[in-house]
Amino acid sequence: MSRPAVDAAFSALAAHAAELRKTRAIDLFAADPQRFEKFHVALDDLVFDFSKHRATTDTIALLVDLARAAELEKWRDALFAGARVNNTEGRPALHMALRNLTDAPFVVDGKDVMPEVRATREKVAKFARAVRAGAIHGATGEHFTDIVNIGIGGSDLGPAMAARALSPYANAEIAPHFVSNVDGADLSDTLRKLDPARTLFVVSSKTFTTQETMANAASARRFVADALGEAAVGDHFAAVSTRLDKVAEFGIRPDRVFGFWDWVGGRYSMWSAIGLSLVVAIGPDHFEEFLRGGQDVDEHFRSAPLDRNIPALMGLLGAFRRNVWGESVCAVIPYDQRLARFPAYLQQLDMESNGKSVTRAGAPVARATGPFVFGEPGTNGQHAFFQLLHQGTDVAPIDFLVAAEPTAADDAHHALLFANCIAQSEALMRGRTLAQAKAALAAQGMDANAIAALAPHKVFSGDRPSSTFLYRRLDPRTLGRLVALYEHKVFVQSVLWDINPFDQWGVELGKELCGRLVPLACDSRAPLDGLDGSTAGLLAARRRLQG
Ligand code: F6P
């Protein structure tokens, strides 16, 4: 479907950017002492600062025009109304229902799903409380000291990220572990540290067919059966899935099975029973605070005007950089060590959602879609890849995330951490001209020839855009807000690009081909006919190396 209004809005932005190029972001601050006030939005104690973007009030107005041209508000309302926004799978995407703590209904096919959501939430909470209290225990009567989530992608990344982020809120007596990779090293390195009598496994899989998860679950089952006997298995396993039939086949007791629904996408599922291991670790009350943070953002996204709407601004500014400035990579840098897995979590959320080349109708997209997302915590990243961010030939817009205060009261390092964070965003924006570089070297007493040789290496272009999320502390509610902000940002961009962010057909082909290659990897005499030269060559070389 051609969208002339969207094309016109992008053209207007391109013309505007040509003018903006003449202005430096740092000069926009000099011109307007109120710039920070105008270019940040606060959501309770969370501040979204986008003032370091090369953007003016005209830019924001043009971005809002773009949102209107793409009918963002109509799509947002359809999302919340349970419309089948996942058109290729014929499903709604109603993860917001999972964090709805109000009495308001969420409707799928004319039916309010909230009673089922609440019942499952309560079942999870009850189970988690019993595990934490030792009322649910292992086959030998010992309390569980370890809980191992076996899942991958959306059935792993969210809970694993959150368990680390919220570790100060966790029950020290039950340690959460996350096993995802089909590489047996992942499971065996985890199991090596664990006592089977004290370990509870949670098999988390929306489809309960995922190769990696099924292989790891089968091996974990053997680990329990070998140590404690086959009869003990039921006491050491729970499962989370939409496919209750398949869970039953695996032999997990019905009272240990927690369901969810096909209107919850895998990468949007950490709010559901997929969070079970997280709930056991941090407790149901903290998990409810996490849900509340998500709900805060849903209310904000639904009600705030577009020019003060954080997910809308995140998505619009991102699309501006992607489509008008042409940047294909963006970075997420938490100055918060416990958010170390947040970039990995966002990679799935963003890249699996918006890594698409066709529109909802199946036509080629009109312009570039989702960027590559990468990141590592600061300050570590400063000593690794920040060189390129400051002086490389490509520009990557950056999201910085930082708390106003540390979670641990005894953390004396926080001022250093915070100063580093805002120094980086300032340096990226401010840059350093050749004249400034020369003056600095002259001030050090360097001679003219040496200055001429060295100064070009000390130039920073500046105007490398970043946004900063500043929150009081990394608590469950803050984490819920951050996750939901990014979920809705991804949705906003999908609307601008007219793509379906809720399917993931791009993961299928590799899975299919793997199914064909597994027998050839298992049987060293199986003929390699019909394969391309590289695939056959690598299989043959592996066989030789294995002797
Ligand atoms: O391979 C991609 C994917 O389908 C993700 O979308 C999903 O989160 C992950 O695999 C795991 O799927 P499941 O929860 O069904 O095991």
Side-chain angles (χ1 to χ4, degrees), residues 152-155 204-208 210 213 266-267 348 352 504 507 511:
I152 198 164
S155 299
S204 299
S205 174
K206 181 175 174 181
T207 56
F208 228 72
T210 304
T213 301
R267 54 194 172 274
Q348 187 200 13
E352 201 172 76
Q504 57 282 320
V507 303
K511 284 186 192 172

